[in-house]
Amino acid sequence: AVGSCSAGAISFVESLGVTAIDYNSENYAEQLKAEAEKHGGGFDAVFDAYSLSSMKLGYSVLKPGGKLVAYGFSDCVRNEDDQQRSLMLTAVSGLIWIHGMNWWPDGKSAE
C-alpha cells in the first residue's frame, strides 16, 4: 500500500506498513508514478479527497480495471485567497470529469 501524507506524518504512516510519500515534495507526482510501476504498473484503487488535479493524477496511476474513488474537494474548502471561487462550480466540474472518465475505453472507472 502507498499513502500520501505531510512530512510530519511519514513515520506514523510507515509504522502502519504503508509506503509514505510527502504530498508537499517537489517530485510528488514522479514518486507516485514510480510506486505505481513497482506495483505492477498501477494501483487497483486510489482514494482522493483533495482536488480535481489530484484526482487526475490518481487516475493516471490506476492499472486497467482500477477504480478512483473521489470523496471530497478539501482544496476548495480551504482556499481563503479566492472567496469568489464557487465550491459548487468546482464540485460540478469534478463530477463531470469523474463521470466522463467512465466513458473512456481504458478499463478504469471513477466514482
Side-chain angles (χ1 to χ4, degrees):
V2 176
S4 62
C5 59
S6 66
I10 287 178
S11 58
F12 171 72
V13 171
E14 289 177 342
S15 76
L16 300 172
V18 176
T19 301
I21 302 174
D22 178 359
Y23 52 67
N24 290 314
S25 68
E26 289 182 21
N27 60 348
Y28 169 70
E30 291 79 21
Q31 290 179 51
L32 187 61
K33 290 175 183 178
E35 287 298 325
E37 286 303 313
K38 291 180 189 176
H39 288 82
F43 299 112
D44 294 316
V46 172
F47 297 85
D48 189 286
Y50 192 62
S51 69
L52 184 56
S53 62
S54 65
M55 285 182 231
K56 290 178 181 178
L57 174 60
Y59 191 86
S60 76
V61 296
L62 287 173
K63 64 175 63 168
K67 181 171 289 274
L68 169 70
V69 178
Y71 59 96
F73 293 95
S74 64
D75 178 49
C76 301
V77 175
R78 295 185 310 180
N79 185 349
E80 296 173 11
D81 295 332
D82 187 3
Q83 294 296 325
Q84 300 302 313
R85 187 162 134 184
S86 167
L87 177 59
M88 181 62 96
L89 179 60
T90 303
V92 169
S93 298
L95 291 171
I96 290 169
W97 181 84
I98 288 167
H99 289 291
M101 290 298 95
N102 290 326
W103 292 90
W104 204 254
D106 59 4
K108 303 174 187 178
S109 64
E111 319 188 336

